[in-house]
């Protein structure tokens, strides 16, 4: 199906999470037109699910140097120190900015503290040596997203397209336009009408979020299919460090309540991880065997420790014990988590919370600098789909919301500085229409989509999860090669639907994770390969880069 219409804007933003809306807000300040495309409702995103908070130096007892050091330590020798420092030092201004837009963070007074009640209540999470996590109860992401939705919705030069999914990027390499690869916009599917159209713009910002749905068990919502990374790869952008997939250690273990994250902030308030040493025995602490910070160790350490204990004991979950706090305190500090646990028939003030690890955050992504510049001219990437160098081999808790607020401002400043060039190098419209998705015939084999979707997620969990080996990775590689061939043939033969676009993206991201994991012959941060259970000093700060050669109309 060929796109049958062209829409023009100065800027395109793909994704409506915190990074996407912050990008739109900053870009719109110049008075230029901005389009925001989001595959479902504007506030349906990963950002809204974030419970913990924003890591930021806001207390006189804390310093930028300490925040930087905690980030570098968690990142296991893979962070870009300059990027870390730049983002960390820009944090307070980003906090002031979003507060001015209406976001509200919890204060000490709201939690009943009488000393300095007007100060922010700063939490502590795994890997942090100081209390520096601002939060809005235990729904921080939802509060920040609310504030940005309200702010962006008031801007007359921003157009929001809900229920629109980006299929591919418009790039010069695909259109056979000579010169350096340049992004001119995107091909968009209206999921309500089925119409496909082309959107051209001076710049395109990809802010599509994470890829948790590549795995069977995840804390992410259904929309997290890795579309930004997949589109960037197909367009020829450099993709970095996709082997570093963070598994959140504590997702609620329950037969019907899925993907509900139990925030690391509980451990910051003293919750302790416990496991039954044998069936029917009383659960006991175990993290002292794995790390000196015990239950507050970095997430990669905690996730592997839980996985190890579950395999050693044969138990299906471990437990969080926060019973040292009163019910009144827990209801006030963690109202959303408390309510969800009650729904699971667990009163966390009196009972242990059953938890398991689940895929949570992608530390790799489209390779960018701290201003969101990718290897494709005119294409920017922000948020979880980008790899700025902040997170390294393991993300420090609550640094992601910080990055989502800081990098879009840098990107908008960079774009405005280069705007004359971007406006003067747009392609001929006819060239942009030289693209097709296939024959547009209806399919009677929709079972292929659901079957391949389930198979990819299951073998990614089994073979490319917390614990990897070369043999497991090779098995996964063999399977994904076959499935990708099936999907590509299906894609070019039948009508494009949202499900098919997401399946195509999931398969692309899965192969990128597998290939990146096969390239790294060591264990570092979130990537643990039992065949190489050691750090290779020569691999420190060496990115795993994968880039596709692009040419032709596809």
């Amino acid at each position: 199906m060929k796109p049958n219409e062209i829409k023009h804007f100065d800027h395109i933003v793909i994704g409506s999470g915190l990074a996407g809306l912050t990008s739109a807000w900053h870009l719109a300040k110049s008075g230029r037109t901005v389009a925001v495309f989001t595959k479902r409702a504007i506030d349906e995103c990963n950002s809204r699910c974030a419970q913990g908070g924003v890591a930021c130096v806001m207390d006189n007892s804390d310093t930028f140097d300490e925040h930087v050091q905690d980030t570098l330590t968690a990142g296991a020798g893979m962070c870009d120190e300059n990027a870390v420092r730049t983002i960390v030092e820009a944090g307070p201004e980003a906090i002031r900015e979003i507060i001015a837009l209406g976001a509200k963070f919890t204060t000490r007074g709201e939690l009943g503290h009488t000393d300095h009640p007007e100060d922010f209540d700063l939490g502590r999470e795994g890997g942090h040596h100081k209390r520096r996590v601002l939060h809005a109860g235990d729904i921080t992401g939802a509060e920040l997203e609310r504030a940005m939705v309200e702010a962006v919705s008031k801007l007359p030069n921003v157009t929001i397209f809900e229920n629109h999914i980006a299929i591919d990027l418009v790039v010069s390499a695909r259109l056979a336009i000579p010169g350096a690869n340049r992004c001119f916009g995107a091909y968009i599917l209206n999921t309500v009408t089925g119409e496909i159209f082309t959107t051209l713009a001076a710049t395109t910002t990809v802010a599509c979020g994470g890829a948790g749905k590549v795995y069977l068990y995840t804390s992410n919502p259904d929309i997290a299919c890795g579309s930004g990374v997949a589109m960037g790869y197909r367009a020829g952008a450099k993709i970095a460090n996709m082997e570093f997939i963070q598994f959140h250690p504590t997702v609620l273990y329950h037969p019907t309540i899925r993907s509900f994250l139990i925030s690391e902030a509980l451990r910051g308030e003293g919750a302790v991880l416990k496991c039954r040493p044998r069936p029917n025995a009383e659960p006991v602490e175990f993290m002292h065997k794995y790390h000196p910070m015990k239950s507050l160790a970095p997430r990669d350490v905690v996730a592997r420790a839980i996985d190890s204990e579950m395999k050693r004991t044969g138990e299906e979950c471990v437990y969080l014990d926060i019973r040292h706090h009163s019910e009144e305190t827990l209801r006030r500090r963690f109202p959303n988590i408390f309510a969800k646990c009650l729904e699971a028939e667990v009163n966390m003030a009196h009972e242990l919370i059953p938890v398991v690890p689940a895929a949570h955050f992608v530390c790799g992504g489209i390779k960018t600098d701290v201003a969101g510049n990718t290897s494709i001219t005119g294409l920017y990437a922000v948020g979880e789909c980008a790899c700025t160098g902040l997170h390294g081999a393991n993300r420090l808790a609550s640094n992601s919301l910080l990055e989502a607020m800081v990098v879009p401002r840098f990107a908008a400043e960079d774009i405005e500085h280069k705007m004359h060039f971007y406006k003067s190098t747009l392609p001929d419209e006819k060239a942009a229409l030289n693209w097709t998705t296939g024959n547009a015939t209806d399919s009677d084999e929709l079972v292929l989509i659901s079957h391949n979707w389930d198979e990819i997620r299951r073998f990614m969990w089994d073979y490319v999860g917390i614990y990897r080996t070369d043999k497991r990775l090779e098995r996964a590689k063999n399977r994904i090669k076959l499935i990708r061939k099936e999907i590509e043939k299906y894609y070019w033969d039948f009508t494009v639907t949202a499900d098919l676009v997401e399946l195509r993206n999931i398969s692309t991201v899965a192969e990128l994770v597998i290939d990146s994991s096969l390239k790294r012959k060591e264990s570092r941060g979130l990537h643990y390969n039992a065949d190489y259970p050691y750090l290779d000093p020569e691999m420190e700060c060496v990115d795993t880069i994968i880039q596709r050669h692009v040419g032709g109309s596809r």
Side-chain angles (χ1 to χ4, degrees):
M1 177 186 293
K2 281 185 176 292
N4 57 16
E5 182 187 356
I6 294 181
K7 298 181 187 294
H8 295 271
F9 294 91
D10 292 316
H11 305 292
I12 295 170
V13 177
I14 304 173
S16 63
L18 182 60
L21 294 182
T22 304
S23 294
W25 189 77
H26 280 291
L27 289 168
K29 288 194 294 185
S30 68
R32 305 183 197 276
T33 58
V34 181
V36 177
F37 294 100
T38 183
K39 64 172 65 174
R40 295 190 186 168
I42 187 173
D43 63 347
E44 190 165 347
C45 57
N46 237 352
S47 299
R48 191 180 65 174
C49 300
Q51 296 174 343
V54 185
C56 185
V57 175
M58 299 293 288
D59 187 85
N60 290 334
S61 67
D62 196 8
T63 66
F64 291 139
D65 285 343
E66 289 174 290
H67 189 176
V68 168
Q69 188 54 56
D70 283 347
T71 301
L72 296 177
T73 299
M78 285 299 297
C79 294
D80 179 329
E81 186 170 351
N82 289 331
V84 172
R85 183 166 295 278
T86 299
I87 292 170
V88 163
E89 291 182 354
E93 176 60 28
I95 293 296
R96 288 190 288 270
E97 194 170 71
I98 202 164
I99 289 173
L101 291 175
K104 299 184 184 303
F105 292 100
T106 300
T107 63
R108 291 178 55 77
E110 291 174 70
L111 294 180
H113 300 295
T114 56
D115 59 318
H116 305 289
E118 71 284 354
D119 289 352
F120 294 121
D121 180 69
L122 299 176
R124 184 183 172 198
E125 298 184 2
H128 291 274
H129 284 82
K130 290 288 180 68
R131 285 184 171 270
R132 64 168 67 98
V133 180
L134 293 94
H135 64 93
D138 57 355
I139 54 168
T140 308
E143 171 61 12
L144 300 185
E145 180 73 6
R146 178 201 63 76
M148 289 311 304
V149 168
E150 288 186 6
V152 171
S153 298
K154 294 175 183 176
L155 300 176
N157 55 326
V158 176
T159 305
I160 308 293
F161 292 85
E162 294 183 313
N163 301 306
H164 282 71
I165 186 168
I167 303 172
D168 272 316
L169 299 172
V170 182
V171 289
S172 58
R174 184 178 284 127
L175 302 177
I177 297 174
N181 200 8
R182 165 86 157 93
C183 183
F184 302 114
Y187 300 107
I188 306 291
L189 169 66
N190 181 328
T191 58
V192 175
T193 66
E195 173 199 12
I196 294 174
F197 59 88
T198 302
T199 304
L200 296 183
T203 70
T204 301
T205 300
V206 176
C208 301
K213 296 303 283 189
V214 171
Y215 285 89
L216 186 62
Y217 302 110
T218 178
S219 63
N220 293 182
D222 288 343
I223 58 168
C225 298
S227 55
V229 173
M231 287 190 297
Y233 170 73
R234 289 195 295 267
K238 289 182 179 179
I239 308 299
N241 301 336
M242 288 298 291
E243 66 270 34
F244 298 124
I245 305 293
Q246 187 174 72
F247 290 81
H248 197 287
T250 54
V251 169
L252 183 65
Y253 177 70
H254 191 270
T256 59
I257 300 173
R258 301 295 179 91
S259 302
F260 186 78
L261 187 149
I262 304 296
S263 171
E264 195 158 340
L266 267 74
R267 284 180 279 136
E269 299 299 335
V272 174
L273 283 160
K274 296 183 175 182
C275 183
R276 298 186 192 278
R278 56 189 178 278
N280 301 318
E282 185 69 19
V284 297
E285 295 182 39
F286 61 87
M287 278 305 302
H288 61 281
K289 298 186 294 183
Y290 296 93
H291 197 277
M293 291 183 75
K294 301 179 183 177
S295 290
L296 273 172
R299 288 177 177 177
D300 61 325
V301 176
V302 178
R304 276 197 300 275
I306 293 173
D307 185 66
S308 176
E309 289 295 306
M310 288 168 58
K311 288 174 178 173
R312 183 182 66 81
T313 62
E315 293 291 304
E316 294 183 340
C317 66
V318 297
Y319 302 91
L320 269 175
D321 187 353
I322 196 167
R323 294 175 295 179
H324 60 284
H325 283 301
S326 69
E327 181 168 333
E328 179 186 5
T329 297
L330 294 175
R331 282 182 180 273
R332 187 169 54 214
R333 174 64 177 87
F334 304 107
N336 187 47
I337 295 174
F338 198 98
K340 185 62 70 170
C341 285
L342 283 182
E343 188 181 329
E345 299 183 344
V346 173
N347 184 323
M348 56 194 278
H350 307 291
E351 300 168 279
L352 301 176
I353 307 169
V355 293
V356 292
H360 183 57
F361 191 90
V362 181
C363 288
I366 303 172
K367 179 69 174 173
T368 75
D369 62 14
V370 76
N373 284 284
T374 72
S375 57
I376 299 176
T377 303
L379 177 66
Y380 290 75
V382 296
E384 190 174 346
C385 68
C387 182
T388 62
L390 172 65
H391 305 306
N394 181 24
R395 176 179 68 104
L396 182 67
S398 290
N399 267 355
S400 52
L401 291 183
L402 173 69
E403 182 184 45
M405 295 194 301
V406 167
V407 175
R409 175 163 63 86
F410 293 151
E413 291 171 356
D414 188 80
I415 288 170
E416 188 60 27
H417 179 69
K418 301 173 181 175
M419 195 58 185
H420 176 73
F421 167 77
Y422 288 143
K423 293 283 282 187
S424 66
T425 56
L426 288 170
D428 180 82
E429 289 190 358
K430 292 180 180 178
L433 289 171
N434 185 26
W435 177 88
T436 179
T437 58
N439 297 326
T441 57
D442 290 327
S443 167
D444 60 357
E445 298 184 45
L446 294 180
V447 67
L448 175 70
I449 295 177
S450 61
H451 176 79
N452 281 340
W453 181 294
D454 291 341
E455 184 176 355
I456 290 170
R457 298 182 68 211
R458 187 168 294 280
F459 73 64
M460 286 298 290
W461 181 261
D462 290 340
Y463 298 151
V464 201
I466 296 171
Y467 183 95
R468 300 164 181 173
T469 65
D470 278 354
K471 189 173 182 179
R472 291 182 182 187
L473 293 172
E474 287 161 4
R475 284 175 179 166
K477 177 64 176 178
N478 290 334
R479 286 302 307 137
I480 198 63
K481 283 169 64 177
L482 292 173
I483 290 174
R484 290 253 295 136
K485 286 180 181 177
E486 287 182 6
I487 293 170
E488 287 302 317
K489 182 179 186 305
Y490 194 91
Y491 177 78
W492 293 107
D493 286 347
F494 298 110
T495 300
V496 171
T497 64
D499 286 345
L500 181 54
V501 171
E502 290 188 338
L503 174 62
R504 185 178 182 231
N505 290 334
I506 279 179
S507 67
T508 298
V509 172
E511 190 161 24
L512 287 169
V513 174
I514 294 164
D515 288 346
S516 299
S517 300
L518 284 167
K519 283 176 175 284
R520 187 165 291 278
K521 304 298 185 182
E522 64 164 351
S523 289
R524 182 183 295 274
L526 300 165
H527 171 72
Y528 181 82
N529 187 327
D531 293 325
Y532 310 96
Y534 48 78
L535 278 173
D536 182 351
E538 295 187 0
M539 292 296 289
E540 185 166 309
C541 290
V542 177
D543 291 331
T544 304
I545 300 292
I546 297 178
Q547 187 174 19
R548 176 177 180 252
H549 172 73
V550 179
S553 62
R554 291 190 177 186

